[in-house]
Amino acid sequence: MRSRQRVFAAVMRLLLKCLRLGRRRRLKLVRQAEQLWGYWHLCLRSLLYNSFTNSDVVLDSLFEPVYWLVDHVTRWFGVVFVALVIGLTSSIVAIVYICLLPLILQTYTPAWICWHLAYGHWNLIMIVFHYYMAITTSPGHPPQAKDDLTGVSICRKCIAPKPARTHHCSICNRCVLKMDHHCPWLNNCVGHYNHRYFFSFCLFMTMGCIYCSISGWEMFRDAYAAIERMKLLEKERLQVAANQTYYQTPPPTFSFRQRAFHKSVVYLWVLCSSVALALGALTLWHAALITRGETSIERHINRKERQRLQKKGKVFRNPYSYGSWDNWKVFLGVDVPRHWLTRVLLPSPHLPHGTGLSWDLPPCVTEQHAPLLAL
């Protein structure tokens, strides 16, 4: 207690001494403090000064730990996401074979049975093939030797040649040819060599989910009503047991197989409908990008370039766009009419046009569209 009083008294004496200083002394101390603050402020600005610094740079710097965390979490959780896709898809296929297929064979006409068997298995084969190719095919990386490439820039992160349309993936820590994005559900980058596999997987998975949702709508309604009826009868059975009215006939009980069947149908319809909505929106987004001949990254670059040139009264044209129809032919690798069957409607491991290092006019393009400006 006495020590606290002594400290408090010492502080008060020091404060009184400062107040007793003359006016000149106080002004001198204030000037010295201002000079010292100005000196350290100048040193700090000289060490951190950057003429390109703005609010966006400061915001990116503050979010750099968040970016680092997301990159590393995405890298390690990619295997989990792939396992989740395989597990959910396998569960839907198992429910269809165990629960729905016997019902279809018993109640549908032969024509409808042939349709469901043919379309369902074709859709499943296309989903499995394109997903396997998307996760196992390398998106493509530029060579490290500078002599092999001409007229390219240098990546600031990996200090290697960076051809046109190539971008650095912070998750894979490599440059990717014609990079679209890093997909955690593939645990792989989407680039020049597997972009078609990724889009085809999204398309056929959406088609399969829509097919299951439409085909199983009546079954879903019946299964949902049966589950509600189960809950009601279970409640009545508990009330009868509690009242001990032995003269009443207890409500019938449902077997485990019946419960599992109805719940599996509800699970199938809810999951397929949810995936159809979410993945369908993503598929439409990428379809619009393919129609314009650009990737997800190039969309942002082209938009900024278009706005910049618009202020100058100029028009921007994407140098990698050959027109809507030709963009789809280039993307899908359709050179002749029969390729729509052999390369689009059937599994095909054909390579895309070009090597991803240079972008010459593909042979399937009917007319060359000369760009006004290059990226």
Side-chain angles (χ1 to χ4, degrees), residues 78-96:
V79 179
V80 178
F81 291 152
V82 171
L84 188 62
V85 172
I86 296 175
L88 293 177
T89 307
S90 301
S91 66
I92 296 298
V93 174
I95 292 173
V96 170

Side-chain angles (χ1 to χ4, degrees), residues 158-325:
C158 55
I159 316 299
K162 183 179 177 182
R165 310 187 79 178
T166 300
H167 300 278
H168 187 89
C169 177
S170 58
I171 300 175
C172 299
N173 199 24
R174 294 189 66 179
C175 282
V176 178
L177 299 175
K178 192 193 170 186
M179 179 179 176
D180 188 271
H181 69 287
H182 184 93
C183 182
W185 299 102
L186 301 179
N187 195 28
N188 195 9
C189 269
V190 177
H192 178 63
Y193 289 103
N194 64 347
H195 193 182
R196 179 178 65 88
Y197 298 131
F198 165 76
F199 177 78
S200 298
F201 163 72
C202 293
L203 176 62
F204 289 111
M205 178 64 81
T206 303
M207 292 171 57
C209 291
I210 294 175
Y211 163 73
C212 291
S213 299
I214 296 176
S215 301
W217 169 244
E218 294 295 334
M219 297 180 185
F220 165 75
R221 291 178 57 184
D222 296 339
Y224 186 80
I227 292 175
E228 293 297 323
R229 188 166 58 253
M230 288 179 190
K231 293 180 180 179
L232 180 61
L233 294 177
E234 184 69 19
K235 185 178 180 180
E236 292 179 358
R237 189 178 65 83
L238 293 176
Q239 290 177 354
V240 170
N243 295 332
Q244 295 182 356
T245 54
Y246 296 105
Y247 60 87
Q248 295 181 356
T249 303
T253 58
F254 291 88
S255 64
F256 172 79
R257 183 175 181 178
Q258 291 175 323
R259 295 175 182 272
F261 174 83
H262 295 308
K263 291 182 179 180
S264 297
V265 173
V266 173
Y267 163 78
L268 178 144
W269 192 88
V270 172
L271 180 61
C272 289
S273 300
S274 303
V275 174
L277 290 175
L279 195 60
L282 179 65
T283 304
L284 291 176
W285 164 257
H286 280 278
L289 294 177
I290 295 170
T291 304
R292 295 196 295 263
E294 57 188 11
T295 62
S296 300
I297 297 177
E298 291 173 351
R299 176 186 177 274
H300 300 286
I301 298 175
N302 294 347
R303 183 180 59 180
K304 291 182 179 180
E305 188 69 12
R306 188 177 293 107
Q307 293 174 353
R308 185 183 68 85
L309 294 176
Q310 189 176 5
K311 295 179 181 179
K312 298 182 179 181
K314 299 181 180 180
V315 179
F316 172 79
R317 181 179 295 168
N318 183 9
Y320 307 115
S321 177
Y322 310 106
S324 301
W325 182 247

Side-chain angles (χ1 to χ4, degrees), residues 99 157 327:
C99 299
K157 295 184 178 180
N327 287 338

Side-chain angles (χ1 to χ4, degrees), residues 89 120-133 200-201 203-209:
T89 307
H121 286 89
W122 169 78
N123 206 155
L124 178 61
I125 292 173
M126 298 298 285
I127 291 173
V128 174
F129 171 79
H130 287 101
Y131 188 70
Y132 174 78
M133 296 298 294
S200 298
F201 163 72
L203 176 62
F204 289 111
M205 178 64 81
T206 303
M207 292 171 57
C209 291

Side-chain angles (χ1 to χ4, degrees), residues 76-118:
W76 288 107
F77 273 81
V79 179
V80 178
F81 291 152
V82 171
L84 188 62
V85 172
I86 296 175
L88 293 177
T89 307
S90 301
S91 66
I92 296 298
V93 174
I95 292 173
V96 170
Y97 274 102
I98 297 174
C99 299
L100 302 186
L101 186 58
L103 193 61
I104 292 175
L105 296 177
Q106 294 175 2
T107 58
Y108 282 30
T109 61
W112 276 110
I113 292 176
C114 293
W115 155 253
H116 284 292
L117 291 178

